[in-house]
Amino acid sequence: MNELMLYISVFVGAAIPVLEVWIAVPLGVIAGLPWFPAAVAGFIGNFLSLLPVIYASEKVTAFVRRWVKKLKRMI
């Protein structure tokens, strides 16, 4: 497997947050990648997969606050 495919595999594997540290990066290192670039690819994959979650949590929090405020007015 060429090196680019290994980095892509680490990147995609790290998109699943639990797999980054425990599986994706170590498998990349075992497959022959240097540890630091494999860790960076894992970090970027994990970070990009968490951005929508972080963004959505802000929206959900704002919605819940509006909803609770509306419920308090009703009581």
Side-chain angles (χ1 to χ4, degrees), residues 11 14-18 20-21 41-51:
F11 180 85
I16 303 169
V18 174
E20 177 198 5
V21 175
F43 172 78
I44 293 170
N46 191 310
F47 182 73
L48 291 178
S49 71
L50 289 177
L51 281 178

Side-chain angles (χ1 to χ4, degrees), residues 9 32 59 70:
S9 299
K59 299 293 183 183
K70 186 176 179 181

Side-chain angles (χ1 to χ4, degrees), residues 41-71:
F43 172 78
I44 293 170
N46 191 310
F47 182 73
L48 291 178
S49 71
L50 289 177
L51 281 178
V53 173
I54 293 167
Y55 181 73
S57 69
E58 292 176 9
K59 299 293 183 183
V60 169
T61 301
F63 172 77
V64 169
R65 285 185 180 155
R66 285 193 312 268
W67 184 59
V68 168
K69 190 184 249 186
K70 186 176 179 181
L71 284 177

Side-chain angles (χ1 to χ4, degrees), residues 1-11 28 31-35 37-38 41:
M1 189 180 283
N2 66 16
E3 196 169 315
L4 178 62
M5 287 302 294
L6 288 174
Y7 282 114
I8 291 171
S9 299
V10 169
F11 180 85
L33 294 176
W35 73 270

